[in-house]
Amino acid sequence: MPFKLQELRQAYTAYQEFLGKNPPARHARYIFPFFVGSYFTYRKVDVRRVVAIAGAIDEIPSYLDVGCGYGDFLEKVRGYLPQATGIEKEGGIFEFARKPDYVEIAGAEQCPAVDVAFVGWMEPGTDFRSRIAKAAKCVITTFDAGGQCGINGGCEYDEFDFEQVAWWRTPSWIDVNAELMNRYYTPSLTVERNEQLTKLRSAHNFWYVYARPDLAERVRAGLKAHLAAENANDCYDFESVLDECGFGYMEELSTLTKARKLWEVMFD
Ligand SMILES: C[S@@+](CC[C@H](N)C(=O)[O-])C[C@H]1O[C@@H](n2cnc3c(N)ncnc32)[C@H](O)[C@@H]1O
């Protein structure tokens, strides 16, 4: 269900109060992700992967970010694919920021035919997969472990005759937020207790890549070729917060049982 605007207004007031306290640079995106970040945490490598996947489908691929919010991730993708656009159902959110020309106020139900649809973190219960599956050749989606999208908690596209090509794990903003709160905003925590809590850190966000069966091998090959030369040193400023909080590129988290290395791409 799209946001309730009244709740968003309250959150925006809290965001402004937070900024008034001159917090450490780059913390805001992990505390107020909707206004200045995204609900999934990303690095430049994620943007480059998404761009490489799109490039495997077409030289100039059409790309649509569905439910893009203010378009934080979309803006980064446009650095490589200037033709990329977004749709956002709730026009009221632009009460707090200017709407970019490349974002249209429209529901996913009106999704046009595209090479790639990106669906970054939908609220639990929101499910427009059947429309996206009709419109897109490839779907890249991020969601939290534990189930979100459909009535039965599914975000997958297998049931719409898509093939899963690859997946990887990153933290959600909540995972990073918990670390930041312990380190900077809970003065009563001792160093020892903080270290104990750090060992419990997890990463709950998954990125799944789906393609129509006739394109799956092409997308897989394109992503593999890209990964062979992936360069994690080419990064955004805000990634320093992830490093500092123990969510490094290829960091292995002891609390995980499968795909323990963050950002490691799985093709199984
Ligand atoms: C949790 S926010 C995620 C925003 C952004 N993708 C991110 O990850 O930060 C979900 C966004 O999807 C929008 N949304 C929900 N249902 C939608 C629909 N049917 N069509 C288009 N946008 C929708 C909401 O208004 C909201 O801006």
Side-chain angles (χ1 to χ4, degrees), residues 85-97:
T85 57
I87 52 175
E88 166 54 51
K89 189 169 192 165
E90 184 52 76
I93 68 168
F94 293 102
E95 184 180 317
F96 308 105

Side-chain angles (χ1 to χ4, degrees), residues 1-3 33-34 37-40 65-69 87-90 93 106-109 118-123 126 128 142:
M1 192 196 303
F3 288 108
F34 189 68
S38 57
Y39 279 71
F40 49 93
D65 188 326
V66 182
C68 62
I87 52 175
E88 166 54 51
K89 189 169 192 165
E90 184 52 76
I93 68 168
E109 302 72 19
F118 178 82
V119 184
W121 213 100
M122 276 303 125
E123 295 95 342
T126 306
F128 40 63
T142 80

Side-chain angles (χ1 to χ4, degrees), residues 74-179:
L74 173 59
E75 184 201 4
K76 308 291 187 304
V77 169
R78 280 176 54 85
Y80 301 92
L81 304 177
Q83 72 277 19
T85 57
I87 52 175
E88 166 54 51
K89 189 169 192 165
E90 184 52 76
I93 68 168
F94 293 102
E95 184 180 317
F96 308 105
R98 196 185 67 82
K99 184 183 81 57
D101 295 344
Y102 50 82
V103 174
E104 192 189 336
I105 305 303
E109 302 72 19
Q110 293 144 268
C111 181
V114 280
D115 291 321
V116 177
F118 178 82
V119 184
W121 213 100
M122 276 303 125
E123 295 95 342
T126 306
D127 191 357
F128 40 63
R129 286 176 298 161
S130 63
R131 176 60 212 157
I132 301 298
K134 282 197 187 85
K137 294 179 185 165
C138 171
V139 181
I140 306 173
T141 183
T142 80
F143 57 91
D144 268 12
Q148 271 175 262
C149 320
I151 293 158
N152 299 319
C155 295
E156 294 84 357
Y157 283 76
D158 314 66
E159 68 193 83
F160 300 102
D161 294 331
F162 273 65
E163 197 175 305
Q164 191 184 324
V165 171
W167 64 280
W168 64 94
R169 181 199 293 271
T170 61
S172 70
W173 75 274
I174 293 175
D175 301 313
V176 182
N177 179 275
E179 280 293 318

Side-chain angles (χ1 to χ4, degrees), residues 185-206:
Y185 301 92
T186 318
S188 57
L189 268 188
T190 62
V191 175
E192 294 76 28
R193 181 73 183 128
N194 201 14
E195 275 171 14
Q196 283 170 351
L197 288 172
T198 294
K199 287 193 189 111
L200 298 178
R201 69 179 185 271
S202 196
H204 292 104
N205 193 253
F206 293 106

